[in-house]
Amino acid sequence: KQGSSDRGAWGHTLGRSSVPPLASMERVACIARHVACGVGESGQPQPRAVVGAPPVVVTLIAAGNSGHVCAALFEENTKGRVKTQLLTSKPHMFKSMKLRVQFPTGEYQEGRLHKVSDDPAELIPQSDIVIWTGPVTTTKDTFENIRPYINNRKTVVGTIFAQGLV
């Protein structure tokens, strides 16, 4: 008999998935649609913007180095096909809504935050992709905090782990 302690935070059985194989494949297809090109009338792959799809909404959670760099890169690197939101405990620090990153070559790139909040109910429901960039020690609490707002048929959740050892 399987107890509740055998389940992970997202309802999956630890050690093996309790999600039926078809549902798993639907989830993989959903992720692929987020990162792949669209298909034009000719049947050939074309960038999503050409196909006319709305921008992908990416919500970054936490505003450390990884979150800052991602936010600065997403808009320009995707030519506006991504709208970046930031869920942070310190939204007042992002009044300018523009973030800048410097490359090792000395060049700069600027990106725009479209929305900043400390309330997951404001950002998570309209997100296509949610990326956790905070410290590992707060991952569980953060995921439990956003869980009520995640639509697992629409939203892909991922993490970026990095340490600032400079």
Side-chain angles (χ1 to χ4, degrees):
K1 183 177 174 183
Q2 193 171 345
S4 62
S5 63
D6 296 325
R7 293 205 171 264
W10 297 100
H12 293 286
T13 304
L14 299 177
R16 68 181 175 88
S17 176
S18 63
V19 176
L22 182 56
S24 294
M25 290 311 297
E26 289 171 1
R27 188 80 174 133
V28 170
C30 178
I31 294 168
R33 282 192 303 275
H34 284 297
V35 297
C37 292
V39 177
E41 291 179 23
S42 67
Q44 296 298 314
Q46 294 182 9
R48 291 178 86 183
V50 174
V51 177
V56 173
V57 177
V58 176
T59 299
L60 299 166
I61 304 176
N65 291 338
S66 297
H68 184 106
V69 169
C70 288
L73 297 177
F74 286 169
E75 185 176 40
E76 178 62 29
N77 287 1
T78 65
K79 303 300 182 212
R81 292 183 305 227
V82 168
K83 287 193 173 202
T84 307
Q85 304 184 131
L86 179 64
L87 180 61
T88 176
S89 60
K90 300 175 183 172
H92 60 279
M93 294 180 67
F94 296 91
K95 292 183 193 277
S96 78
M97 303 295 274
K98 290 212 176 214
L99 297 175
R100 188 173 171 189
V101 65
Q102 183 178 9
F103 295 106
T105 61
E107 295 177 86
Y108 289 91
Q109 183 169 317
E110 221 173 65
R112 178 173 178 249
L113 290 170
H114 293 84
K115 195 170 189 180
V116 178
S117 178
D118 59 359
D119 182 2
E122 260 186 80
L123 304 177
I124 302 299
Q126 66 265 17
S127 301
D128 296 302
I129 301 172
V130 173
I131 302 175
W132 165 242
T133 67
V136 71
T137 56
T138 59
T139 300
K140 182 177 186 253
D141 290 340
T142 300
F143 277 34
E144 287 174 355
N145 192 32
I146 68 169
R147 185 177 183 178
Y149 309 103
I150 295 285
N151 174 346
N152 66 2
R153 293 206 164 285
K154 174 187 186 273
T155 306
V156 177
V157 179
T159 64
I160 294 178
F161 175 76
Q163 290 181 331
L165 300 176
V166 179

